[in-house]
Amino acid sequence: MIETTNITFSPERLAEVQTLLKRYPEGKQKSAILPILHLAQKDFGWISVEVMDYVAELLDIQHIEVYEVATFYTMFHLKPVGKNVLEVCRTGPCMLVGSDNIVKYLEQKLSIQDGETTPDGLFTIKTVECLGACGYGPMMQVGEKYHEFLSEERIDQLLEGFRQNATQP
Amino acid sequence: MSRLKILTEHIDKPEITGIEGYIKHGGYRAVEKALKKMQPDEVTEEVKKSGLRGRGGAGFPTGMKWSFIFKGNDKPRYLLCNADESEPGTFKDRLLMEKIPHLLIEGMIASSFALGVKTAYIYIRGEYMYILHILQKAIDEAYAKGYLGENILGTTYSLDLHVHPGGGAYICGEETALIESLEGKRGNPRIKPPFPAVEGLWGCPTIVNNVETICKVPFIINEGGETYANIGIGASTGTKLISACGNINKPGVYEIELGVPVEEFIYSDEYCGGIKGGKQLKALVPGGSSVPILPNRLITKTAKGEPRLMSYESLSDGGFPTGSMLGSGGFIVFDEDQCIVRNTWNFSRFYHHESCGQCSPCREGTGWMEKILHRMEYGHGRMEDIDLLWDVQRKIEGNTICPFGDASAWPVAAAIRHFRDEFEWHVLHPAEATRRNYGMGRSAEPIEQVTA
Ligand SMILES: Cc1cc2nc3c(=O)[nH]c(=O)nc-3n(C[C@H](O)[C@H](O)[C@H](O)COP(=O)(O)O)c2cc1C
Ligand code: SF4
Ligand code: FES
């Protein structure tokens, strides 16, 4: 699990933030909040209050303005999550092709329930609503990657891959 | 039926993703033509002539929408491309942005020129982050080639184009929620009027258009609005991307000329290839989760007994109770084994989860519908629940700030209209209904004690 202790962007990230801010007119820098929250989640693992406060200061807006936004959008993890968040689509079209089974299989394999994280901090299962892959279900998103046409065998392979990744230096 | 492809003709060629490949296949000709040979109003005129209707769901005529842009003040104007694509069953815009991003960029340039826009944004759902990178790369290429930035192609026209990620909220596909979100706020829809064309992003005149809509503009400029209007059937002009999913042999995105018979679309090898496993077709949602479901008997023929076609008019034949909508083209097919109660519950859960919470009928009503359907599906339903459900959805429809409320009510209303016997069966055979779920390997859900 990644803990948020040192909340500061690297100089490269800060440069990226500056580029982002230029996309919006003078005085409308609040618009950069979602792109910056995405960067923050990437770097710090999850969006803690400290992270939200840091983003507010970067944007020179009230802290509450960031809290309001971060709690509205489901992509932001407001609690610590595992290294790999397995976001499985549970909506109608995916359900028609067996997403329920996929969730159940993952829960059994990892001995955790939807929303929980494995004790080793490697995996979190999170059911989500439609991800725009409805014809290629069952599917899940892990990080920025879409894994489609899932089956039990495919899940086994993917989990194995994530585990190996975790042990690599 | 000719098989004309306006958007997807070259989509399988890998080189089309890059700017060189795109130009090689005729790309950016429309920008050259519009900026060098046409006046902005002429572009709008061609779009009007084409009869193009918005592909985001509501089907509003694009040229007419553009002509509403307020020109009475000197505020900047904005064009926002709606790439939120969160309607369950819809996954078509993704294909265009992933495979042929320059088509969208070209469409954005030409459309911005027509509207007098100097800065445009593509608002893309945050989950499509990998596509955002593809778009960003394409935008950088377009800047480098002089299609974006100052004095495009040596003309006096300048444009900046940016991509902006959302954060995983379906409601941000609604145009005023999208604007709020882009302003850095919660995605709460605004009360209309004022319409965005008058007061949109940062209080400035703004047009919001879907990805597929914008991608049609280069063809219309190159070939003329009339040529486009001659494709398709009646007022359903041109082609439409249909994203087909559910229990079919060949799920995927198909570009069809509007007017193809629904039956042909489902069964021909060119499209869906029939029902998986040779099963019977039970029902169909033709335009994304929010449009009314059609039972088998109304799929090949309309209520009037005419052949059912893939067109705006045909799919909405008769309006409710027998009609549906072309919507976003999210085509969801159900085979004979699918449970309508379960599916309706699943969709209600979606709407409850995604309601922005501003209006009580939507915030509370979607939750009640979810709970009532949940208990019916899991063997705790009562006969009066069916009428209760009917009552709740009636009280949402038309009583909310944005059309999300209607979108949550229609699937429930249509399911009860067409499949009331299935709801009754669930109440009369609770054990069987529940066993059937577990038998299909479905997760055991805790039974909530609900008193709606
Ligand atoms: C709840 C809701 C969700 C919507 N989601 C989308 C969407 O994901 N993509 C989209 O293009 N339009 C969506 N729309 C429609 C937009 O509000 C708007 O009508 C559309 O983007 C206009 O573009 P068009 O005229 O090109 O269709 C949604 C509407 C509602 C009410
Ligand atoms: S109808 Fe629902 S989604 Fe739309 S504004 Fe009201 S509460 Fe929000
Ligand atoms: S329903 Fe699962 S991706 Fe759309």
Side-chain angles (χ1 to χ4, degrees), chain B residues 54-57 65 82 84-86 170-171 173-175 208-210 213 403-404:
Chain B
R55 302 302 199 222
K65 188 192 251 189
N82 191 341
D84 195 59
E85 185 150 80
S86 319
Y170 165 73
I171 191 59
E174 194 281 329
E175 56 182 6
V208 182
N209 274 135
N210 171 260
T213 313
F404 179 102

Short mmCIF file of all heavy atoms in Angstrom, two decimals, chain B residues 54-57 65 82 84-86 170-171 173-175 208-210 213 403-404, ligand 1:
data_model
loop_
_atom_site.label_atom_id
_atom_site.label_comp_id
_atom_site.label_asym_id
_atom_site.label_seq_id
_atom_site.Cartn_x
_atom_site.Cartn_y
_atom_site.Cartn_z
N GLY B 54 -27.28 15.25 -34.25
CA GLY B 54 -26.29 14.95 -33.22
C GLY B 54 -26.27 13.47 -32.85
O GLY B 54 -27.32 12.87 -32.67
N ARG B 55 -25.07 12.92 -32.78
CA ARG B 55 -24.93 11.49 -32.52
C ARG B 55 -24.71 11.14 -31.05
O ARG B 55 -24.37 10.02 -30.71
CB ARG B 55 -23.77 10.93 -33.34
CG ARG B 55 -23.90 11.13 -34.87
CD ARG B 55 -25.17 10.49 -35.40
NE ARG B 55 -25.12 10.28 -36.85
CZ ARG B 55 -26.12 10.52 -37.68
NH1 ARG B 55 -27.26 10.99 -37.24
NH2 ARG B 55 -26.00 10.25 -38.97
N GLY B 56 -24.89 12.14 -30.17
CA GLY B 56 -24.68 11.88 -28.74
C GLY B 56 -25.87 11.22 -28.06
O GLY B 56 -25.76 10.71 -26.97
N GLY B 57 -27.02 11.24 -28.71
CA GLY B 57 -28.18 10.59 -28.11
C GLY B 57 -29.49 11.28 -28.44
O GLY B 57 -30.46 10.64 -28.84
N LYS B 65 -28.30 23.76 -34.39
CA LYS B 65 -27.67 24.05 -33.11
C LYS B 65 -26.56 25.08 -33.28
O LYS B 65 -26.47 26.05 -32.53
CB LYS B 65 -27.10 22.75 -32.52
CG LYS B 65 -26.59 22.91 -31.09
CD LYS B 65 -25.79 21.72 -30.65
CE LYS B 65 -26.50 20.87 -29.64
NZ LYS B 65 -25.67 19.82 -29.05
N ASN B 82 -17.89 16.35 -26.85
CA ASN B 82 -18.33 15.45 -25.79
C ASN B 82 -17.81 14.04 -26.07
O ASN B 82 -18.36 13.32 -26.89
CB ASN B 82 -19.87 15.47 -25.75
CG ASN B 82 -20.43 14.78 -24.53
OD1 ASN B 82 -19.73 13.99 -23.89
ND2 ASN B 82 -21.68 15.05 -24.21
N ASP B 84 -17.38 11.90 -23.55
CA ASP B 84 -17.57 11.29 -22.23
C ASP B 84 -18.01 9.84 -22.37
O ASP B 84 -17.70 9.02 -21.50
CB ASP B 84 -18.58 12.08 -21.41
CG ASP B 84 -18.52 11.71 -19.95
OD1 ASP B 84 -17.44 11.86 -19.36
OD2 ASP B 84 -19.52 11.22 -19.40
N GLU B 85 -18.73 9.56 -23.43
CA GLU B 85 -19.16 8.19 -23.75
C GLU B 85 -19.35 7.27 -22.54
O GLU B 85 -18.59 6.35 -22.30
CB GLU B 85 -18.16 7.53 -24.71
CG GLU B 85 -18.63 6.15 -25.19
CD GLU B 85 -18.14 5.80 -26.58
OE1 GLU B 85 -16.97 5.38 -26.74
OE2 GLU B 85 -18.94 5.95 -27.50
N SER B 86 -20.39 7.55 -21.78
CA SER B 86 -20.63 6.69 -20.60
C SER B 86 -21.97 5.99 -20.63
O SER B 86 -22.35 5.36 -19.66
CB SER B 86 -20.56 7.52 -19.32
OG SER B 86 -19.53 8.45 -19.37
N TYR B 170 -20.92 9.50 -15.06
CA TYR B 170 -21.77 9.40 -16.25
C TYR B 170 -22.49 10.72 -16.52
O TYR B 170 -22.64 11.13 -17.67
CB TYR B 170 -22.79 8.27 -16.04
CG TYR B 170 -23.97 8.24 -16.98
CD1 TYR B 170 -23.83 7.84 -18.31
CD2 TYR B 170 -25.25 8.58 -16.54
CE1 TYR B 170 -24.93 7.80 -19.16
CE2 TYR B 170 -26.35 8.52 -17.38
CZ TYR B 170 -26.19 8.14 -18.69
OH TYR B 170 -27.27 8.09 -19.53
N ILE B 171 -22.90 11.39 -15.46
CA ILE B 171 -23.69 12.60 -15.65
C ILE B 171 -22.90 13.67 -16.40
O ILE B 171 -23.50 14.56 -17.04
CB ILE B 171 -24.23 13.13 -14.29
CG1 ILE B 171 -25.27 14.23 -14.49
CG2 ILE B 171 -23.11 13.60 -13.38
CD1 ILE B 171 -26.48 13.84 -15.30
N GLY B 173 -21.65 13.50 -19.10
CA GLY B 173 -21.98 13.45 -20.52
C GLY B 173 -23.12 14.41 -20.85
O GLY B 173 -23.26 14.83 -22.00
N GLU B 174 -23.90 14.77 -19.86
CA GLU B 174 -24.97 15.76 -20.08
C GLU B 174 -24.28 17.10 -20.29
O GLU B 174 -23.39 17.46 -19.52
CB GLU B 174 -25.91 15.76 -18.87
CG GLU B 174 -27.23 16.48 -19.09
CD GLU B 174 -27.13 17.99 -19.01
OE1 GLU B 174 -26.28 18.50 -18.25
OE2 GLU B 174 -27.89 18.67 -19.69
N GLU B 175 -24.71 17.85 -21.32
CA GLU B 175 -23.87 18.96 -21.75
C GLU B 175 -23.61 20.03 -20.70
O GLU B 175 -22.50 20.56 -20.61
CB GLU B 175 -24.39 19.58 -23.05
CG GLU B 175 -25.83 20.04 -22.99
CD GLU B 175 -26.30 20.61 -24.33
OE1 GLU B 175 -25.55 20.53 -25.32
OE2 GLU B 175 -27.41 21.15 -24.37
N VAL B 208 -21.80 22.23 -27.62
CA VAL B 208 -21.32 20.90 -27.21
C VAL B 208 -21.77 19.90 -28.27
O VAL B 208 -22.95 19.84 -28.61
CB VAL B 208 -21.89 20.47 -25.84
CG1 VAL B 208 -21.34 19.12 -25.42
CG2 VAL B 208 -21.59 21.51 -24.78
N ASN B 209 -20.83 19.17 -28.82
CA ASN B 209 -21.16 18.14 -29.82
C ASN B 209 -20.43 16.85 -29.54
O ASN B 209 -19.30 16.84 -29.05
CB ASN B 209 -20.77 18.60 -31.24
CG ASN B 209 -21.85 19.42 -31.93
OD1 ASN B 209 -21.56 20.45 -32.52
ND2 ASN B 209 -23.08 18.97 -31.86
N ASN B 210 -21.09 15.79 -29.91
CA ASN B 210 -20.53 14.44 -29.74
C ASN B 210 -19.37 14.18 -30.72
O ASN B 210 -19.29 14.79 -31.78
CB ASN B 210 -21.68 13.45 -30.00
CG ASN B 210 -21.23 12.02 -30.07
OD1 ASN B 210 -21.07 11.46 -31.14
ND2 ASN B 210 -21.02 11.44 -28.92
N THR B 213 -20.47 13.12 -34.22
CA THR B 213 -21.05 14.25 -34.94
C THR B 213 -19.93 15.08 -35.58
O THR B 213 -19.97 15.38 -36.78
CB THR B 213 -21.84 15.16 -33.96
OG1 THR B 213 -22.68 14.35 -33.15
CG2 THR B 213 -22.66 16.19 -34.69
N PRO B 403 -32.35 15.58 -18.23
CA PRO B 403 -33.01 14.37 -18.77
C PRO B 403 -32.54 13.05 -18.14
O PRO B 403 -33.05 12.00 -18.50
CB PRO B 403 -32.64 14.39 -20.26
CG PRO B 403 -32.02 15.71 -20.53
CD PRO B 403 -31.50 16.22 -19.24
N PHE B 404 -31.58 13.13 -17.23
CA PHE B 404 -31.14 11.90 -16.56
C PHE B 404 -32.32 11.23 -15.86
O PHE B 404 -32.44 10.01 -15.85
CB PHE B 404 -30.05 12.25 -15.54
CG PHE B 404 -29.50 11.09 -14.76
CD1 PHE B 404 -28.27 10.54 -15.09
CD2 PHE B 404 -30.20 10.56 -13.68
CE1 PHE B 404 -27.76 9.48 -14.35
CE2 PHE B 404 -29.69 9.49 -12.95
CZ PHE B 404 -28.47 8.96 -13.28
C1 LIG C 1 -27.43 11.79 -18.60
C2 LIG C 1 -26.93 12.15 -19.96
C3 LIG C 1 -25.74 11.60 -20.40
C4 LIG C 1 -25.22 11.93 -21.65
N1 LIG C 1 -24.06 11.37 -22.06
C5 LIG C 1 -23.55 11.71 -23.26
C6 LIG C 1 -22.31 11.17 -23.69
O1 LIG C 1 -21.68 10.38 -22.99
N2 LIG C 1 -21.82 11.56 -24.90
C7 LIG C 1 -22.49 12.45 -25.70
O2 LIG C 1 -22.01 12.79 -26.76
N3 LIG C 1 -23.67 12.96 -25.31
C8 LIG C 1 -24.20 12.62 -24.12
N4 LIG C 1 -25.39 13.17 -23.72
C9 LIG C 1 -26.05 14.16 -24.62
C10 LIG C 1 -25.46 15.55 -24.41
O3 LIG C 1 -26.14 16.20 -23.36
C11 LIG C 1 -25.58 16.41 -25.65
O4 LIG C 1 -26.90 16.38 -26.09
C12 LIG C 1 -24.70 15.96 -26.77
O5 LIG C 1 -23.36 15.83 -26.37
C13 LIG C 1 -24.79 16.94 -27.90
O6 LIG C 1 -24.03 16.51 -28.98
P1 LIG C 1 -24.70 16.14 -30.35
O7 LIG C 1 -25.65 17.26 -30.68
O8 LIG C 1 -23.57 16.07 -31.27
O9 LIG C 1 -25.39 14.84 -30.15
C14 LIG C 1 -25.93 12.84 -22.47
C15 LIG C 1 -27.14 13.38 -22.03
C16 LIG C 1 -27.63 13.04 -20.79
C17 LIG C 1 -28.92 13.63 -20.36
#
